[in-house]
Amino acid sequence: MHRRQFLQQTTLGATATIVTVGVQGWAYRSPAQTAKPKRLIVVFLRGAVDGLSVVVPYRETAYYEARPRIALPRPGGEGSILPLDKRFGLHPALRSLFPLWQQRSLAFVQACGSPDATRSHFEAQDYMETGTPGIKTTRDGWMNRLMATLPGRSPVRAVNVGSTTPRILSGPMTVASLPTGRNATRLTPLDRSQIRTAFDRLYNGKDTLSQAYQEGQLARQEILKELQADMQMADNGAPGAAGLAGDARRLARLMVRDPQVQLGFLAVGGWDTHVNQGSSKGQLATRLNWLAQGLATLVEELKPIYGETVILVMSEFGRTLRENGNGGTDHGHGNVLWAMGGPIKGGQVYGQWPGLATAQLYEGRDLAITTDFRSVLSPLLQNHLGLDQAQLAQVFPKYGFDQSVKIM
């Protein structure tokens, strides 16, 4: 039996099967290929990225009052935002994506997200990936249900970049997976064992200075351990943004080569910025720069099929309007959803802007949600992938559709 026959026969009848294949092993082709199949790629930012730093409401005085250290400068100054329109501007670390905005294939939906009020990363990610906010009993993900509505069957219809099945692709339909290029946890120079050992030897006595050092070091290690554990939990196993470009390139090349691959998923961790978030420079800016490079690489590699591809970038919830005492932000509510691709009516910030005055905030602290994320996805699935109302109801059950956000 040939390899492609083996793949076909062992996966089509399977339940919740993951086919792990390397780039070199991707040789399977269907005899009946569609000339220009429609594609959808979801990039999930785990850890709740700060949408108010991605698409900055620079006309809002409340934004600058609430964020004295981390607000992005208004247009014209050093490290200033890139103006999108008369109300919003793009973080300067995302500069490499700005040409897509100018070419009108990049759009944003502000104040978008899940209507469920949870501030738990796990719950919020699960709700957004199952497509049923507030319902814990849903076992499959909306992308897996989407696969069931698409014509034809193939073990490579959907590709997950990662070693484990994300909730969004969990379910009875077969999913292929590709390993990520990076999984390591990075440490700062201060945490190198040689430097720590040298200081430990220097201040190992019982004098006041040594005791202060020892207590401080113990506290630092405990805090670092807690922060790393918290970040890893928020990331839910997703690799950081630094390796995104390589993963994106491999996924794009597979999709270009094989018309059967209609759905792609990548998760990117590292967005839980409780401490030292930074402004136009700093922790968040560095990660956004990596993200922008990864997305720009994805678009470049998808060029032959970009006209038939939609890329969505989403996160489980936004962050607090007000910065905290550690120069970071905490778990919030409303966020910004990104949409890219040939079919997208770009160059616009969609959605109803609720404002940032205290009375306009959700629970007096967060950006309110005015657009349910399913209100963006459902017309997209209808217009881009051709789903009818019955099929939409399978993908997003118990949801009354709102067609007001037309990004295509």
Side-chain angles (χ1 to χ4, degrees), residues 181-202:
R182 304 178 67 89
N183 280 315
T185 301
R186 293 178 181 273
L187 296 177
T188 67
L190 291 174
D191 300 306
R192 291 175 181 169
S193 60
Q194 299 94 329
I195 297 175
R196 189 171 65 247
T197 300
F199 274 79
D200 288 349
R201 287 174 179 168
L202 185 62

Side-chain angles (χ1 to χ4, degrees), residues 154-366:
S154 165
V156 292
R157 173 62 54 82
V159 173
N160 164 53
V161 181
S163 56
T164 59
T165 314
R167 191 65 177 269
I168 199 168
L169 282 167
S170 296
M173 303 300 292
T174 301
V175 177
S177 69
L178 289 171
T180 59
R182 304 178 67 89
N183 280 315
T185 301
R186 293 178 181 273
L187 296 177
T188 67
L190 291 174
D191 300 306
R192 291 175 181 169
S193 60
Q194 299 94 329
I195 297 175
R196 189 171 65 247
T197 300
F199 274 79
D200 288 349
R201 287 174 179 168
L202 185 62
Y203 298 109
N204 65 354
K206 297 186 181 298
D207 58 283
T208 303
L209 184 58
S210 293
Q211 287 185 349
Y213 166 79
Q214 291 164 20
E215 291 172 1
Q217 185 67 351
L218 181 62
R220 174 176 165 74
Q221 293 304 317
E222 288 297 318
I223 291 171
L224 277 177
K225 186 167 69 175
E226 291 296 324
L227 286 176
Q228 287 178 343
D230 188 52
M231 180 71 84
Q232 288 169 359
M233 289 176 64
D235 289 350
N236 203 6
L244 178 62
D247 293 336
R249 180 179 293 107
R250 284 185 299 148
L251 175 63
R253 289 180 177 177
L254 289 174
M255 298 186 85
V256 170
R257 287 208 304 266
D258 193 338
Q260 293 181 106
V261 185
Q262 281 190 267
L263 308 178
F265 180 82
L266 300 104
V268 185
W271 308 102
D272 199 18
T273 51
H274 289 283
V275 179
N276 296 330
Q277 178 171 310
S279 176
S280 53
K281 295 181 180 178
Q283 179 187 178
L284 179 62
T286 298
R287 288 169 183 158
L288 287 176
N289 183 41
W290 289 335
L291 175 64
Q293 291 178 30
L295 292 173
T297 299
L298 182 63
V299 170
E300 178 64 24
E301 295 289 343
L302 286 171
K303 188 175 290 182
I305 59 171
Y306 188 65
E308 292 78 45
T309 303
V310 170
I311 304 166
L312 297 176
V313 182
M314 52 204 300
S315 194
E316 65 264 33
F317 45 65
R319 307 194 72 83
T320 50
L321 168 62
R322 187 168 300 282
E323 68 181 41
N324 61 28
N326 294 317
T329 49
D330 299 319
H331 301 176
H333 194 50
N335 209 331
V336 62
L337 185 147
W338 319 17
M340 310 162 63
I344 296 298
K345 293 179 180 176
Q348 293 188 61
V349 178
Y350 292 88
Q352 179 185 350
W353 178 246
L356 296 179
T358 301
Q360 297 169 318
L361 297 174
Y362 176 74
E363 296 185 342
R365 52 172 273 174
D366 306 319

